[in-house]
Amino acid sequence: MVLASATVDVMKAATPQHQGLFKVKVWGQPPHDETRFYEIQAMNENTAAQQGISRFVFEMEDPATKRN
């Protein structure tokens, strides 16, 4: 199990017609105590955070993407 938290900064706000651009910082708890940053297009901050955490979890569970 990967436990992670995220913060989101708005780089470009979403409009009703277009997704926004968000910088998502995700960090995990041991043994996945890494921090990663993602630029994510989404309709709101919550969705961007969820996508960032999902990507982080995928990367931590996939040995091919782990950084040593």
Side-chain angles (χ1 to χ4, degrees):
M1 173 186 275
V2 178
L3 298 176
S5 300
T7 59
V8 179
D9 291 320
V10 178
M11 296 175 69
K12 182 178 178 186
T15 67
Q17 297 83 19
H18 301 288
Q19 294 184 342
L21 182 62
F22 302 91
K23 183 174 184 178
V24 181
K25 175 184 177 183
V26 182
W27 64 96
Q29 294 183 15
H32 309 287
D33 52 341
E34 294 189 30
T35 300
R36 302 235 175 139
F37 294 89
Y38 307 103
E39 288 187 6
I40 296 177
Q41 290 185 322
M43 289 307 294
N44 57 53
E45 293 178 43
N46 287 336
T47 302
Q50 290 171 347
Q51 289 178 13
I53 289 173
S54 292
R55 185 169 166 187
F56 181 88
V57 168
F58 174 79
E59 291 175 358
M60 294 300 110
E61 290 177 341
D62 182 2
T65 61
K66 285 191 177 178
R67 298 177 186 165
N68 291 325

